[in-house]
Amino acid sequence: MKHILIARAEENLQAASILFQAGLYNASANRAYYSAFHAAAAFILANGLNVEIDYRKVQALFNTEFINRRKILPAQYKALLPEMQKVRNNADYEAEGVSKTKANEQIRSATNFLAIIKDKMP
């Protein structure tokens, strides 16, 4: 399953970039979030833990286990998924949506996160 989730993370990141280039910033921000979310879920599974693929559960277990307890990842990543989810929620549900700048930041965050996850993957 971890390989499937990493493949989805990569696919979502590619989709985010394509959507961004097409000027579809809300959809781009959405896909970038899912890239990071799938990467986090894959990392949990790769480290021998089970988690229901649920936003709160993945975020909580990821932060507790790999940032707070094992200290595999730096503390700067603790707020990443909640912040990216907030941008995704704005893209999906708020009238103002997401700006080009914010969508680009979302892609950069997802790119960096996926790279560190793949680097630290057992």
Side-chain angles (χ1 to χ4, degrees), residues 25-97:
Y25 305 125
N26 292 313
S28 174
N30 174 293
R31 291 296 91 201
Y33 166 74
Y34 279 106
S35 174
F37 176 77
H38 286 130
F43 196 74
I44 290 169
L45 295 174
N47 279 279
L49 301 172
N50 289 319
V51 67
E52 184 180 334
I53 305 299
D54 170 83
Y55 306 110
R56 289 185 182 119
K57 291 176 183 177
V58 167
Q59 290 176 21
L61 184 58
F62 183 84
N63 287 342
T64 300
E65 191 65 28
F66 304 114
I67 296 173
N68 296 341
R69 194 170 85 67
R70 296 188 196 185
K71 302 193 185 317
I72 294 173
L73 296 165
Q76 74 188 52
Y77 289 102
K78 190 170 188 167
L80 182 94
L81 289 172
E83 288 174 2
M84 289 186 74
Q85 185 179 11
K86 183 179 176 183
V87 173
R88 182 198 67 93
N89 288 343
N90 287 342
D92 289 350
Y93 307 117
E94 299 300 324
E96 71 272 3

